[in-house]
């Protein structure tokens, strides 16, 4: 019989710091107004139909809005918006987060960041509850790509990097 | 009534080429021997308990092995193994893929790549079927990190990049 259950949380976090990830500001339009947070746990699922997933920590301040959300927008950002991503990853009040840059409404009504590297406007199609997180599977109904900003920001080794 | 259903497949793929991702060789020990493929659709889910997810295309050659798998190993690689990642992303026979480098058995029996940037040895704990893919949620039972290789490979803009 194997007795191991899982690794220690700190070892897992150290390991995950070596798994590079895109920097995404994920938004939705809640009844109270726009809500958003910075996430690296976003990935492509299928291109038939176009589907991605977003993991949301159920203990976070944005969880109630995203648990109720029918739609959301994944705004993947480059160095131009690295500071904005920091802001959306912190404790700044929502209204102040959105006041720092230019947004418009996506088809679904979710806030889309002007000149993000790429924005995916989505309808939430399925959900899974896994450990402390909700996994939102999303059908992509619109994609907008910046024509100016072609560099990526990457989260790796607990800091931002720039990628041409 | 909104009439949009989803974006065209090509637009989605163009958009996804701007979402940077780590380069991972995901392996399992099947009845027929070791099986592995290169995946960017891997992400952290929770640290309580340590959980990650891997998306597997049900139409791929490795799908039967991973649909049956009780365990798997995510080997996240740096530039040192970029060529190996290409090999695991192509049509090379399994035995030839594994012959190109040094592997050892993880706790679960899944093949662990020597000196990967980080390896996550996992037990599959839950599965979800979403569109064309199986999403495998995995409990992490061991983490190994290279002490030599501290650079990441990143997939972005349809090519590999190196990250310090």
């Amino acid at each position: 019989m194997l007795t191991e259950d899982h690794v220690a949380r700190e070892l897992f976090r150290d390991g995950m710091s070596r798994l590079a990830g895109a920097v995404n500001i994920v938004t939705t339009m809640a009844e109270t107004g726009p809500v958003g947070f910075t996430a690296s746990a976003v990935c492509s699922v299928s291109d038939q139909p176009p589907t991605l997933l977003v993991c949301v920590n159920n203990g976070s301040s944005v969880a109630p809005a995203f648990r109720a959300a029918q739609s959301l927008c994944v705004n993947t950002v480059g160095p131009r918006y690295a500071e904005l991503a920091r802001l959306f990853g912190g404790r700044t009040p929502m209204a102040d987060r959105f006041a720092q840059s230019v947004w418009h409404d996506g088809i679904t009504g979710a806030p889309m960041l002007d000149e993000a590297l790429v924005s995916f406007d989505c309808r939430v199609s399925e959900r899974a509850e896994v450990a402390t997180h909700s996994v939102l599977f999303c059908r992509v109904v619109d994609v907008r790509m910046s024509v100016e900003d072609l560099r990526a920001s990457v989260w790796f080794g607990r800091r931002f990097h720039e990628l041409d």
Side-chain angles (χ1 to χ4, degrees), chain A residues 13-87:
Chain A
R13 293 170 74 114
D14 287 350
M16 274 296 159
S17 75
R18 294 188 175 202
L19 193 134
V23 178
N24 311 283
I25 300 175
V26 183
T27 61
T28 192
M29 184 56 73
E31 285 186 10
T32 52
V35 173
F37 72 110
T38 296
S40 58
V42 171
C43 74
S44 178
V45 177
S46 176
D47 64 6
Q48 285 184 302
T51 306
L52 58 76
L53 68 77
V54 178
C55 299
V56 182
N57 188 330
N58 291 331
S60 72
S61 63
V62 301
F66 281 91
R67 289 172 74 95
Q70 302 293 310
S71 61
L72 59 79
C73 188
V74 173
N75 301 282
T76 305
V77 301
R80 170 183 186 153
Y81 287 126
E83 272 311 310
L84 189 68
R86 275 185 225 280
L87 198 72

Side-chain angles (χ1 to χ4, degrees), chain A residues 4 9 12 16 21 23 35 65 70 78 80 85 88 99 108 117 138 153 155-156 161 164:
Chain A
E4 97 281 354
R9 188 179 176 187
F12 175 73
M16 274 296 159
V23 178
V35 173
Q70 302 293 310
R80 170 183 186 153
F88 273 82
T108 67
L117 182 56
C138 304
S153 284
W155 186 248
F156 173 70
H161 298 253
D164 286 323

Side-chain angles (χ1 to χ4, degrees), chain A residues 78-102:
Chain A
R80 170 183 186 153
Y81 287 126
E83 272 311 310
L84 189 68
R86 275 185 225 280
L87 198 72
F88 273 82
R91 296 180 184 280
T92 306
M94 283 301 158
D96 297 341
R97 297 185 192 188
F98 283 92
Q100 301 302 316
S101 49
V102 180

